[in-house]
Amino acid sequence: MSPQGRAPLDVLVLAAGRGTRMRSRRAKVLHDMAGRPLLQYVLEAARALRPERLTVVVGHQARAVRAAADGLADRFVLQDEPRGTGHAVLRAARALRREADVLILSGDVPLVRPRTLRALVAHHRRQGAALTVLTAELERPAGYGRIVRDGDGRVCTIVEERDATPEQRAIREVNTGIYVARVAALLGALRRLKPDNRQGEYYLTDALHELARQGALVCAVRHDDPEEVQGVNTRAELAQAARRLYARKAESLQNEGVTVLDPGRTWVDPRARIGRDTILYPGVILEGATVLGEGCVIYPGVRIVDSVLGKGVVVRDHTLIAQSRIADGARVGPFAHLRPGSELGREVHIGNFVELKMARLGRGAKANHLAYLGDAEVGAGSNIGAGTITCNYDGKRKHRTVLGRRVFIGSDTQLVAPVRVGDGAYVGAGSTVTQDVPAGALALSRSPQVNIRGWVARRKRKRARRAASSRTSRAAKSKP
Ligand code: UD1
Ligand code: CA
């Protein structure tokens, strides 16, 4: 056991770079993966180790990067110019405790798992190393720093792609950009660095070389899951990382008893929770902290955002549900739109082309076709006919529509809010309801129908007469 066994642990996350290869106006670490900035994944993985201090180096778009790290970081250090990873660590020197070990992570390596980091720290401490780097063997190592080992297999230096010789480029073991180091030793080495490389930057990797040169113990731990430690430098790598994140989630859902028919085409937010025997068809997207109960069926092309669904809910194709709650046994879609604040009771049916916004439907209520219900309350067992519209907006303010239990709203009805319909009342099809309807009443507001007998034949005769008279007048005009 080395004396560092009890050294405190600091974490340093480098997030000051521009991320030029993203070709973006936005700093790379702010790019979204499954609904959250890349940086948050790294910080969360680091947090799991319960470090005493977690510091983030910010620079490019510092204010936004800080905001993205809010609540996950203990302190921030500003690197005003991105002069390299080594420079970034030096800028943070005062935030690091001399007697600590520091775990250094990049803000752009989002899939790294806490257990990998823990194992790295443990190895470093067991060995009593000055610096330990996590490496990986990649099929295509392009873009990464290569791990150069000496004749005894000990790592002696890391060369960046741009500075590498053709032989070094052939090395497939790469630097993951994840390190643990004794703070005092690391800072000592960094202070001796010069930016003599193709990019004119201070490379953190050169500190490893410097320590090895001084005869300090430098270790390299090869990680056996290269996908986990790949960086995101381009849009293509961002897409790849997101795919892996979703694949991981799909796999864990499958292990928990959820049917994911085509994991490659099903995107479930890592924060979502799903009950067993629920079936997810291809093209389903579940975002945010969405919760699905047991035995639901979610058909293709459905997107559910920050919503809670009970047991046995069926959501048919191409439905969008946002910030809503749906109770057991309800059926929604195809082509339905539940906007924020919608609440469906048990066994409610919402059919095609129905839009809800801040609408609460009681148990067993139905709106099966073509309707808009906004700022509405619908009592249990009520039936909303096709083409029903709540006119909830008067151009200035929103008003509520309140329907009692077992209300029947005929097709093509406009409910001009504020308006109430009492329990068991009926509204005739085609009505415009502008006044409250008492319980048990029938409301009709359409104009009464008139049938004019023989009208069609009379019109035909009239037209024939008109045509004949215009023929004679043309004939008269064309005479010389
Ligand atoms: C770096 C490593 C490379 C490794 C790769 C792994 C160096 C010199 N190279 O290369 O060996 O294989 O990571 O992913 O370290 N950053 C700052 N300030 C700066 C420059 C960068 O904070 O001045 C931050 C970036 O925001 C990023 C991280 O450091 O989060 C890594 O920088 P990046 O430019 O992506 O380095 P790579 O070229 O990928
Ligand atoms: Ca990188």
Side-chain angles (χ1 to χ4, degrees):
M1 192 72 186
S2 78
Q4 309 154 48
R6 263 177 247 107
L9 183 68
D10 285 352
V11 172
L12 190 62
V13 177
L14 309 185
R18 218 177 289 275
T20 322
R21 287 164 281 179
M22 293 295 277
R23 300 188 182 280
S24 174
R25 289 183 202 284
R26 212 161 10 138
K28 175 171 64 183
V29 295
L30 296 178
H31 276 258
D32 182 291
M33 181 169 79
R36 304 168 75 197
L38 288 175
L39 179 61
Q40 285 188 8
Y41 291 90
V42 177
L43 296 178
E44 220 158 63
R47 272 266 160 249
L49 273 71
R50 304 187 175 285
E52 277 138 274
R53 274 191 200 181
L54 196 164
T55 305
V56 180
V57 182
V58 296
H60 184 56
Q61 297 182 354
R63 188 195 288 253
V65 175
R66 265 168 184 259
D70 193 41
L72 290 165
D74 300 318
R75 55 183 74 197
F76 296 93
V77 167
L78 185 71
Q79 183 196 17
D80 30 23
E81 254 184 288
R83 296 167 66 193
T85 47
H87 182 255
V89 176
L90 270 180
R91 291 307 306 239
R94 268 191 288 164
L96 302 173
R97 290 168 295 176
R98 306 281 302 178
E99 74 282 11
D101 283 321
V102 60
L103 169 67
I104 301 176
L105 302 167
S106 296
D108 65 348
V109 183
L111 297 180
V112 67
R113 296 182 198 261
R115 64 165 182 256
T116 305
L117 301 176
R118 250 183 236 118
L120 180 71
V121 173
H123 182 96
H124 172 80
R125 289 180 166 172
R126 261 198 318 274
Q127 298 296 315
L131 184 147
T132 305
V133 56
L134 188 70
T135 73
E137 187 109 5
L138 296 187
E139 294 277 326
R140 277 174 293 175
Y144 287 85
R146 307 296 204 283
I147 301 291
V148 181
R149 292 177 184 262
D150 64 16
D152 301 326
R154 273 194 301 257
V155 54
C156 53
T157 189
I158 299 175
V159 260
E160 292 307 298
E161 169 108 9
R162 297 176 210 236
D163 307 305
T165 63
E167 297 77 56
Q168 289 169 331
R169 280 188 199 173
I171 298 172
R172 286 176 37 209
E173 187 182 10
V174 304
N175 171 22
T176 64
I178 299 170
Y179 324 78
V180 198
R182 258 187 267 158
V183 170
L186 176 68
L187 293 180
L190 281 172
R191 290 202 172 101
R192 304 175 69 126
L193 295 192
K194 293 186 192 74
D196 49 2
N197 51 61
R198 281 288 173 81
Q199 301 197 91
E201 290 186 350
Y202 294 88
Y203 284 170
L204 175 53
T205 46
D206 287 349
L208 177 145
H209 179 67
E210 175 62 22
L211 286 168
R213 201 189 56 80
Q214 290 170 5
L217 179 60
V218 172
C219 297
V221 175
R222 197 175 317 186
H223 189 52
D224 56 10
D225 177 7
E227 297 196 336
E228 182 189 326
V229 288
Q230 278 183 27
V232 171
N233 297 300
T234 63
R235 306 267 180 173
E237 286 167 353
L238 177 63
Q240 212 169 49
R243 267 202 303 278
R244 286 181 189 133
L245 184 75
Y246 288 130
R248 261 189 205 176
K249 178 67 177 180
E251 199 182 317
S252 72
L253 289 171
Q254 288 172 326
N255 291 337
E256 292 160 16
V258 175
T259 298
V260 184
L261 291 169
D262 187 349
R265 291 198 290 144
T266 310
W267 295 357
V268 180
D269 191 303
R271 291 165 292 175
R273 286 183 289 126
I274 305 182
R276 56 173 64 186
D277 293 320
T278 282
I279 302 172
L280 304 181
Y281 276 78
V284 167
I285 300 179
L286 305 180
E287 294 180 0
T290 288
V291 180
L292 270 54
E294 293 188 4
C296 294
V297 186
I298 314 295
Y299 283 101
V302 170
R303 184 155 76 100
I304 304 179
V305 186
D306 291 318
S307 295
V308 179
L309 277 61
K311 293 182 197 155
V313 175
V314 176
V315 184
R316 296 223 189 88
D317 318 41
H318 301 288
T319 290
L320 169 58
I321 298 171
Q323 286 137 52
S324 294
R325 302 179 75 89
I326 302 179
D328 301 353
R331 288 205 334 236
V332 181
F335 301 102
H337 185 185
L338 272 60
R339 291 166 53 197
S342 299
E343 280 182 37
L344 308 187
R346 287 167 175 250
E347 281 139 44
V348 162
H349 290 183
I350 297 297
N352 24 213
F353 307 108
V354 173
E355 174 181 347
L356 307 182
K357 191 219 75 184
M358 303 273 277
R360 283 221 306 266
L361 281 80
R363 184 174 189 148
K366 295 187 174 75
N368 275 329
H369 337 263
L370 301 158
Y372 170 60
L373 302 173
D375 304 297
E377 204 157 310
V378 178
S382 290
N383 187 76
I384 308 295
T388 297
I389 292 170
T390 54
C391 310
N392 55 330
Y393 185 52
D394 63 9
K396 283 211 181 84
R397 281 186 300 154
K398 300 285 177 63
H399 301 283
R400 294 186 63 73
T401 299
V402 180
L403 311 182
R405 303 164 143 262
R406 295 176 316 284
V407 161
F408 180 93
I409 305 291
S411 297
D412 195 25
T413 293
Q414 299 104 55
L415 298 157
V416 182
V419 73
R420 308 175 80 91
V421 178
D423 290 348
Y426 274 58
V427 173
S431 291
T432 300
V433 180
T434 53
Q435 295 164 31
D436 290 355
V437 181
L442 167 67
L444 286 173
S445 76
R446 60 193 186 218
S447 44
Q449 182 171 332
V450 240
N451 293 333
I452 305 171
R453 291 185 182 276
W455 181 85
V456 177
R458 279 201 297 283
R459 187 176 70 154
K460 233 183 222 165
R461 284 201 293 276
K462 215 184 203 167
R463 284 194 171 169
R465 275 202 301 277
R466 226 184 268 147
S469 80
S470 77
R471 267 199 307 275
T472 32
S473 73
R474 263 207 309 277
K477 271 190 201 148
S478 63
K479 271 185 187 151

